[in-house]
Amino acid sequence: MAEMREPIETGCPDPWQYMHPVMRKNFGMWKYHEHPRPGVLRHVAYSGDEIWTVKVGTQRILDVFTLRKLCDIGDQYADGFVHFTLRSNLEYMIDDAAKVEPLIKAVEDAGFIVGGTQNSVSMISHTQGWLHCDIPGTDASGVVKSMMDELIDEFRNANMPNRVHITTSCCQINCGGQGDIAINVQHTKPPKINHDLVANVCERPSVVARCPVAAIRPAMVNGKPSLEVDERKCICCGACFPPCPPMQINDAEHSKLAIWVGGNHSNARGKPTFQKLVAAGIPNNPPRWPEATAIVKRILKAYKEGARDWERVNEWIERIGWPRFFEEVELPFTKYHIDTWRGSRASFNASNYIRF
Ligand code: SF4
Ligand code: SF4
């Protein structure tokens, strides 16, 4: 009997083969690192070896020609090793201090920027938008482009009290909207149902199960199986739109943007913190989203002027208190910012079990 071939493994390839040899050699044996200038990190190993990292901002959604250009720079001016960070920055790794300045010059001559390290505003992360997802209410990458054009100096220089992570997302379900400052979609009206299409397009039980507040019921409309929404219950989340596109919720006028602040993942020193709503009903206004950008800039200005060294946005707000925060950023604090609805414990899906 013929021998069976080895199974073909899929998934992430082994990262070791792509790692800079100095990093492989000194794995787990790093003594310290420092930040000689914005956009550059220097790691020193116990063996005395050094590795320099040069961080370059990219627009995340890269065409193949731009990617090749960045990789060619890596081949010519770095040691041929690059990797992408979680926020779509490109990092070149080199083992010689003398190569740092020529690499930075080559990158900047090609029209890219170096920065995004330590206490800077790193590249705004954004969700897939029109390119890969089927439910966006806005173009998250367009919001990022407009904002980063105005925040470029905060990326290039490390002048913030601490690192600032900004995120945007393109629907209200938010596959990626958690950060020090997050710009998220906010629907303000229930979905509008095209009853002629529901029976042909939607699996009605899936749609009914999808609603977090059990606002959707099966219904017969004009003799056809369809759905109805109890608009008094609907929280306008948009969760029914992905499994049932005839439940259209995106709207040029009523789909707005909202800004949340203070979200932070847990780390060795602190617990996670959840972001809180600070501005709602902001126009979803392409192509430059000036209203949302103006609020983000106000928040960053107040944080830069008021926070102590190494305080993150959430720590700064905790210290000065929310009333003072709203004063500093000149945003109104209204009753809509407070979610004290006690019934939510019984009716929201707070676990992975669907309840009705
Ligand atoms: S935020 Fe929403 S629309 Fe955007 S990619 Fe994620 S799931 Fe899709
Ligand atoms: S928008 Fe959300 S709350 Fe409203 S009906 Fe759809 S799933 Fe339910």
Side-chain angles (χ1 to χ4, degrees), residues 126-130 132-138 140 168-177 242:
H126 65 83
T127 44
Q128 319 304 323
W130 309 115
H132 292 301
C133 196
D134 54 358
I135 57 170
T138 190
T168 68
S169 71
C170 38
C171 76
Q172 196 166 295
I173 305 166
N174 299 339
C175 68

Side-chain angles (χ1 to χ4, degrees), residues 54-66:
V54 176
K55 184 179 272 196
V56 177
T58 79
Q59 65 266 44
R60 181 170 190 240
I61 296 174
L62 287 169
D63 62 280
V64 72
F65 302 102
T66 308

Side-chain angles (χ1 to χ4, degrees), residues 33-275:
H33 72 272
E34 57 184 17
H35 184 232
R37 55 154 282 181
V40 178
L41 296 170
R42 172 178 172 247
H43 285 80
V44 180
Y46 284 103
S47 65
D49 290 346
E50 292 183 354
I51 193 110
W52 296 73
T53 306
V54 176
K55 184 179 272 196
V56 177
T58 79
Q59 65 266 44
R60 181 170 190 240
I61 296 174
L62 287 169
D63 62 280
V64 72
F65 302 102
T66 308
L67 192 53
R68 284 206 176 122
K69 190 191 286 181
L70 284 162
C71 291
D72 286 346
I73 292 173
D75 281 338
Q76 200 177 340
Y77 293 94
D79 299 341
F81 290 88
V82 295
H83 68 243
F84 278 94
T85 69
L86 218 58
R87 292 187 160 252
S88 315
N89 297 294
L90 192 75
E91 289 185 343
Y92 294 102
M93 324 296 294
I94 39 186
D95 59 7
D96 181 357
K99 295 178 186 167
V100 172
E101 287 308 320
L103 170 62
I104 292 175
K105 183 169 184 315
V107 164
E108 290 181 340
D109 287 351
F112 299 96
I113 46 170
V114 172
T117 46
Q118 203 160 281
N119 51 327
S120 62
V121 174
S122 66
M123 178 64 191
I124 302 177
S125 69
H126 65 83
T127 44
Q128 319 304 323
W130 309 115
L131 201 60
H132 292 301
C133 196
D134 54 358
I135 57 170
T138 190
D139 174 24
S141 45
V143 178
V144 168
K145 163 75 177 139
S146 311
M147 286 191 183
M148 281 313 274
D149 278 355
E150 303 219 13
L151 299 176
I152 186 168
D153 286 334
E154 300 300 353
F155 179 89
R156 217 184 332 233
N157 302 304
N159 286 335
M160 283 285 156
N162 199 342
R163 187 156 203 63
V164 181
H165 282 160
I166 306 181
T167 62
T168 68
S169 71
C170 38
C171 76
Q172 196 166 295
I173 305 166
N174 299 339
C175 68
Q178 162 85 347
D180 292 304
I181 303 174
I183 302 106
N184 298 336
V185 166
Q186 174 199 23
H187 296 301
T188 58
K189 65 166 188 47
K192 200 171 154 204
I193 306 177
N194 181 336
H195 294 288
D196 292 334
L197 289 178
V198 169
N200 300 342
V201 176
C202 313
E203 279 189 24
R204 294 187 306 152
S206 314
V207 186
V208 170
R210 190 78 172 239
C211 180
V213 291
I216 307 175
R217 288 187 292 258
M220 292 296 284
V221 180
N222 299 331
K224 285 186 180 172
S226 187
L227 299 163
E228 65 182 7
V229 171
D230 181 344
E231 296 194 355
R232 289 164 309 163
K233 279 180 153 183
C234 174
I235 54 169
C236 312
C237 68
C240 49
F241 176 53
C244 186
M247 296 186 74
Q248 183 59 254
I249 194 161
N250 288 331
D251 182 288
E253 188 189 341
H254 294 99
S255 290
K256 306 280 192 186
L257 297 184
I259 295 182
W260 303 65
V261 301
N264 208 348
H265 294 295
S266 60
N267 58 28
R269 289 172 299 281
K271 292 178 181 173
T273 58
F274 289 104
Q275 55 192 11

